[in-house]
Amino acid sequence: MYKILEVKQLNSLVKSMVIEAPYVARRCEPGQFVIIRSHENGERIPLTIADYDRDKKTITIVYQELGFSTKLLSTKGVGDYLEDVAGPLGVPAPLEKQERVLGIGGGVGIAPLYPQVKKLAELGVEVYTILGGRTAELVIMEDNFKEYSDVIVATDDGSKGIKGTVVDAMKEIIDEKKFDKIIAIGPVPMMKAVVEVAKEKDIPTTVSLNPIMIDGTGMCGGCRVTVGGETKFACVDGPDFDGFLVDFDELSRRQGMYKDIEKKYDKTHSCKIGLGD
Amino acid sequence: MPNMSKYKVKMPQQHPDVRNKNFKEVALGYTKEQAMEEATRCLDCKNPKCVEGCPVNVPIPQFITAIKDGKFEEAYKIITSQNSLPAICGRVCPQESQCEGKCVRGIKGEPVAIGRLERFAADMSMDIPHEKIVDETRNHKVAVVGSGPAGLTCAGELAKLGYSVTIFEALHEAGGVLMYGIPEFRLPKDLVAKEISKIEDLGVKIETNVIVGKSITIDELFEEGYRAIFVGSGAGLPKFMNIPGENLNGVYSANEFLTRNNLMKAYDPENNPTPIYVGESVAVVGGGNVAMDAARTAKRLGAEHVYIVYRRSEEEMPARLEEIEHAKEEGIEFNLLTNPTRIIGEDGWVKAMECIKMELGPPDSSGRRRPVEIKDSEFILDVDTVIIAIGQSPNPLIKDTTEGLDTHDWGGIIVNEETMKTSKEGVYAGGDAVTGAATVILAMGAGKKAAHAIDDYLKTLD
């Protein structure tokens, strides 16, 4: 059992939790993920680690309440325990000392970008980050990023920072400054759009993928993605990949495999345990 | 006088048309009377061949004699002196190629139903605790990686020998393939849980959610004071066919399909949120036990047509005869000498699978006749789900993070077969991690052998 030490509501949909997870906290690196189950008989939910503290033996996860299982997770508070936390899984993000790197995070994808930016800053890299969301409220963790990077905020409705998408902001800044690398984490359409622009300028771009998976150790093969024409398992070969090579359309389609089944499930079960909207 | 009936006492079973709609156990087990009657068929041979065929050396004639005499608890104790998981073995062992395959009664008629009797004895006396082999406790700590049949057996045996043992399991539940792979209707999960709790009662600790190679490495386990390590991490890397369309929605590895259904209990959506998709027609590619399990599961989940697609003929099928028969009875349709060439999609989902007819040519390296494509014999199988059950390779997580651990090119850990010792000092391995996908009982045999070799090794450290 894994104790919840802190819960923060980052916006109306997104929460962060600090969890005691000694095995994970001891070895995890930026880019790696955990699989959690909030309750017995719950789903196994993969979540990229948003922060960790080796001394306190804790990790931070950030999640968005989307369906039944994440709503169920939200019924747990400080002092409660998660049923399972397994990890760290996946390979660490390929981070190295470079001159200047641009991080781009969209929505809840901002969270897993954070440990990568932090690590790069510690390596002495000059980091810029673009954080994006539909509206100001959805842009999370801005203050955390400011500690380690120059932050640009982009909102679709202009309620904060630049009015436009992260791609609009990206186009501007890559014209002004030379970047050795881009790290983009967010919804699939965002990562795809970032990669298209980055390709034009030939700036190497890594993306972090979150396909459907069960075990996270290579056993089920559900998370297969096509990268450079080859099938890879995101859980053991990733989750970070060279964005230029990822088949985003396939990824997007595979992520939607259970949409219909899940919608039905949410409806019939959420009310049963008092999770109704 | 022994009972000279040529046939085994029949096993009561659920009717095929009933059982192919539920997940309850297919075979219902012998009654006391049936078991005692079957036990009288054993000739109690002086030189029992059956025991030679058993990878864990169960004293078979002795336990059957005890059943014949109505001494069911004694029968159980005789079995568990050598086998820590009898309720499991009695159900899933391929007895026809092991103990029963060697039974002299099998020469003229059917062999003694050793598996059914083992199951009977186990089910009758599950509450009797395992007995330790030695009374003293030993100082050394041993780590076991993986809680499948190899790991459980090794851990149980070492605990019986007085060692302090901790099993590290990557998933949230112990049992490995017994939990995620083999379906409820062949091996009820309550029963697996019970067998595991009896191993724990011997003092074995199980830590779930620890992925050795990720959460902790083999070298770090040694640093934490473990003096020997047994690796029974299984064959957890599914093979795909590398044909077009394999990443379409609706294509599963058998591992994923079975894990969703068994470990995550997708067959019971009332109480479990993990989804599973089964269309109207399902093709399962492969001819082993896993393929049969996947096909029979798909049928139970409501698929109208379920096809086994296998490139050789029925004779070459690696699945147990009993599983093939059960599958046929339940309405699984067999497309033999057939090989998939591509999966055809529509809007990203499986719509059909193109196959080609095969014929058998001369034997290949496995000794089985090699299937050869028949030119221009392609045809379309209308399916909306494809489950690929063509085997697994050993999971590379441990090999990739352990210096000095030698493996074959295909990923299997190299061991000395007498001791299960690997190339790395203090590290032993067994089960599918060594052999590639094989059987529960071979894994148990390897676990047991390794436990005794570890005992010998640790005594040299005293």
Side-chain angles (χ1 to χ4, degrees), chain B residues 396-430:
Chain B
L397 286 182
I398 290 177
K399 144 192 121 164
D400 291 349
T401 53
T402 311
E403 216 168 299
L405 185 71
D406 292 345
T407 55
H408 294 285
D409 292 342
W410 51 269
I413 300 172
I414 297 171
V415 297
N416 171 334
E417 285 183 20
E418 297 304 311
T419 58
M420 310 313 284
K421 190 180 173 338
T422 69
S423 57
K424 192 174 172 77
E425 174 83 18
V427 180
Y428 297 73

Side-chain angles (χ1 to χ4, degrees), chain B residues 33-336:
Chain B
E33 293 71 26
Q34 288 168 327
M36 288 169 76
E37 187 190 340
E38 179 62 24
T40 60
R41 293 185 64 233
C42 176
L43 301 180
D44 194 10
C45 303
K46 284 228 163 54
N47 177 15
K49 298 283 179 207
C50 52
V51 181
E52 287 171 23
C54 175
V56 295
N57 300 313
V58 168
I60 293 165
Q62 286 90 327
F63 97 75
I64 292 181
T65 302
I67 290 178
K68 189 173 71 186
D69 297 340
K71 295 175 185 161
F72 304 136
E73 287 192 4
E74 191 185 316
Y76 183 72
K77 285 182 183 166
I78 294 168
I79 298 172
T80 50
S81 69
Q82 299 297 329
N83 180 353
S84 305
L85 307 170
I88 294 169
C89 291
R91 287 170 167 82
V92 302
C93 267
Q95 289 100 6
E96 63 280 6
S97 57
Q98 295 179 342
C99 52
E100 293 183 19
K102 304 237 172 176
C103 174
V104 291
R105 292 298 306 267
I107 299 166
K108 283 186 191 164
E110 290 181 346
V112 175
I114 300 168
R116 294 174 186 177
L117 291 172
E118 181 180 36
R119 168 184 165 157
F120 167 80
D123 289 359
M124 288 293 289
S125 305
M126 279 295 271
D127 291 328
I128 300 177
H130 290 312
E131 282 169 24
K132 293 215 170 193
I133 300 169
V134 295
D135 280 334
E136 71 259 44
T137 48
R138 301 194 203 271
N139 290 326
H140 300 303
K141 290 200 303 178
V142 182
V144 169
V145 183
S147 62
L152 285 174
T153 305
C154 185
E157 200 71 11
L158 284 164
K160 287 181 183 177
L161 290 164
Y163 293 96
S164 149
V165 187
T166 303
I167 301 181
F168 296 93
E169 166 57 45
L171 290 169
H172 58 262
E173 197 157 54
V177 74
L178 305 170
M179 278 293 181
Y180 74 73
I182 305 177
E184 180 78 16
F185 57 83
R186 273 213 300 137
L187 185 64
K189 301 306 150 216
D190 283 353
L191 201 140
V192 178
K194 176 81 186 165
E195 292 272 38
I196 293 169
S197 75
K198 292 182 68 174
I199 301 279
E200 288 180 285
D201 290 342
L202 284 166
V204 171
K205 289 193 277 296
I206 301 180
E207 276 203 54
T208 52
N209 298 324
V210 181
I211 303 103
V212 174
K214 286 286 178 189
S215 311
I216 192 164
T217 63
I218 295 282
D219 289 316
E220 285 169 341
L221 284 170
F222 280 120
E223 283 163 25
E224 295 218 334
Y226 294 96
R227 300 302 295 273
I229 297 169
F230 175 76
V231 180
S233 50
L237 196 72
K239 289 182 188 161
F240 287 89
M241 294 180 289
N242 297 315
I243 59 171
E246 265 183 319
N247 289 351
L248 286 165
N249 289 4
V251 181
Y252 283 108
S253 73
N255 271 3
E256 182 183 0
F257 187 74
L258 290 171
T259 302
R260 283 180 179 273
N261 192 68
N262 303 337
L263 179 73
M264 306 310 292
K265 304 189 180 78
Y267 65 85
D268 175 22
E270 271 305 299
N271 301 301
N272 299 276
T274 299
I276 195 162
Y277 173 79
V278 185
E280 276 174 25
S281 299
V282 179
V284 179
V285 182
N289 289 322
V290 174
M292 299 304 138
D293 284 346
R296 297 169 69 194
T297 297
K299 189 81 186 177
R300 282 163 171 76
L301 289 172
E304 201 167 319
H305 293 282
V306 181
Y307 306 101
I308 288 281
V309 175
Y310 180 56
R311 63 196 178 124
R312 303 180 199 248
S313 74
E314 188 168 326
E315 212 171 297
E316 288 83 21
M317 275 197 163
R320 292 182 65 194
L321 192 63
E322 184 181 311
E323 304 308 326
I324 295 170
E325 278 171 7
H326 280 163
K328 284 182 178 169
E329 287 167 10
E330 289 167 15
I332 309 300
E333 298 157 61
F334 283 63
N335 276 328
L336 302 171

